[in-house]
Amino acid sequence: MKKILLVEDDTVLNKTLAYNLTADGYEVTSAYTFASAVNYLQKAEYHLALLDINLPDGCGLDLCDEIRSRGQQTYIMFLTANDKESDILGGYEAGGADYITKPFSIAVLCKKVTAVFANMELRHPQHDLYNDGVLKIDFSEQSASLAGEPLDFTPKEYRTLFLFVKNPRIILTKRQLLEKLWDIDGDFVDEHTLATIISRIRKKIETDERKYIKTAYGMGYQWMGGERK
């Protein structure tokens, strides 16, 4: 999930923007002051930062410097009422990628954020990864390892694993799994084949102490994410 840091001291605007961006599927962290924003930046890295320039205890331009000094590759958009040419140029010179003057349309800003992330993905495609510190699966490259040791999965096993990790702790019925695997491969998969695939996966990734796939008897299977016994 893409992470956004929203720094805006106007409570109503902050909450409205956060609500709309969250509804669009982003993880939004809201800060209302310079100090709280710095505190968040010390704990996490964000894909995008929306920075108000005029804050009660500091300046958004300095926050931009704070982000860049940490070596973070955050896309920075300034939100401000300062609409003079010198202000706008100052925002770009500070390291901002965009400068949005108030008042602005919430809907347009949200579309702009969507476009920014779409362009990021085109330029730097993200690998579809699962990594819990023990089991690592790169679905983009179809490579995997367990505790640093390489694993060998068949294409159908990768597809089965992909369905599981994208639906953590949700019981996937046998029918759902069969339909998805059949749709992807274009060949027939029956319950016996499904049981064989899951059995092979379990043998490759599970130990007595760490379980990944739980059988929901009479229903289907559930991805537990390496739950310890």
Side-chain angles (χ1 to χ4, degrees):
M1 182 179 290
K2 299 297 185 183
K3 298 172 65 175
I4 298 175
L5 177 64
L6 170 58
V7 187
E8 169 60 61
D9 66 324
D10 184 318
T11 303
V12 174
L13 179 56
N14 193 314
K15 289 183 180 297
T16 303
L17 271 173
Y19 174 83
N20 282 273
L21 290 168
T22 300
D24 285 343
Y26 304 113
E27 180 183 328
V28 181
T29 298
S30 288
Y32 298 88
T33 64
F34 181 93
S36 61
V38 170
N39 183 52
Y40 286 128
L41 288 168
Q42 290 173 342
K43 297 176 180 177
E45 185 169 349
Y46 298 89
H47 298 97
L48 184 146
L50 297 169
L51 308 179
D52 185 10
I53 289 182
N54 300 315
L55 296 166
D57 59 339
C59 175
L61 298 177
D62 293 329
L63 275 179
C64 184
D65 290 339
E66 178 77 19
I67 292 170
R68 294 293 179 246
S69 68
R70 294 178 179 278
Q72 298 178 0
Q73 301 300 310
T74 304
Y75 188 99
I76 295 172
M77 300 169 68
F78 288 114
L79 309 176
T80 180
N82 303 342
D83 58 0
K84 294 180 181 178
E85 182 180 278
S86 57
D87 295 323
I88 296 172
L89 291 174
Y92 285 119
E93 289 169 1
D98 208 343
Y99 194 100
I100 300 163
T101 57
K102 302 175 182 177
F104 54 81
S105 162
I106 299 292
V108 171
L109 176 60
C110 289
K111 287 296 183 185
K112 184 184 285 283
V113 168
T114 299
V116 166
F117 282 127
N119 285 330
M120 284 183 183
E121 181 64 24
L122 285 173
R123 295 179 182 181
H124 306 285
Q126 299 297 308
H127 278 210
D128 216 330
L129 291 173
Y130 172 84
N131 188 353
D132 62 16
V134 178
L135 175 63
K136 181 178 180 181
I137 308 171
D138 187 329
F139 291 103
S140 302
E141 294 185 354
Q142 294 214 336
S143 62
S145 63
L146 183 70
E149 294 297 321
L151 290 173
D152 185 24
F153 291 119
T154 67
K156 199 173 263 72
E157 289 169 356
Y158 272 115
R159 290 166 185 147
T160 304
L161 282 162
F162 186 80
L163 292 173
F164 277 128
V165 302
K166 292 302 179 182
N167 297 278
R169 297 189 176 274
I170 296 173
I171 295 175
L172 296 177
T173 67
K174 293 178 182 179
R175 179 183 293 275
Q176 287 174 317
L177 290 165
L178 291 171
E179 287 177 350
K180 290 292 185 181
L181 291 173
W182 191 359
D183 288 344
I184 293 172
D185 288 343
D187 57 1
F188 181 71
V189 180
D190 59 18
E191 286 195 21
H192 175 72
T193 304
L194 175 62
T196 300
I197 292 170
I198 291 175
S199 176
R200 288 201 305 258
I201 291 173
R202 279 174 163 160
K203 288 178 181 178
K204 293 176 182 180
I205 67 176
E206 293 190 341
T207 64
D208 290 338
E209 296 78 26
R210 187 180 292 273
K211 300 298 180 184
Y212 281 93
I213 302 172
K214 179 180 179 180
T215 299
Y217 293 100
M219 299 179 65
Y221 302 93
Q222 185 179 18
W223 180 258
M224 304 306 292
E227 186 176 77
R228 289 184 176 274
K229 279 197 166 184

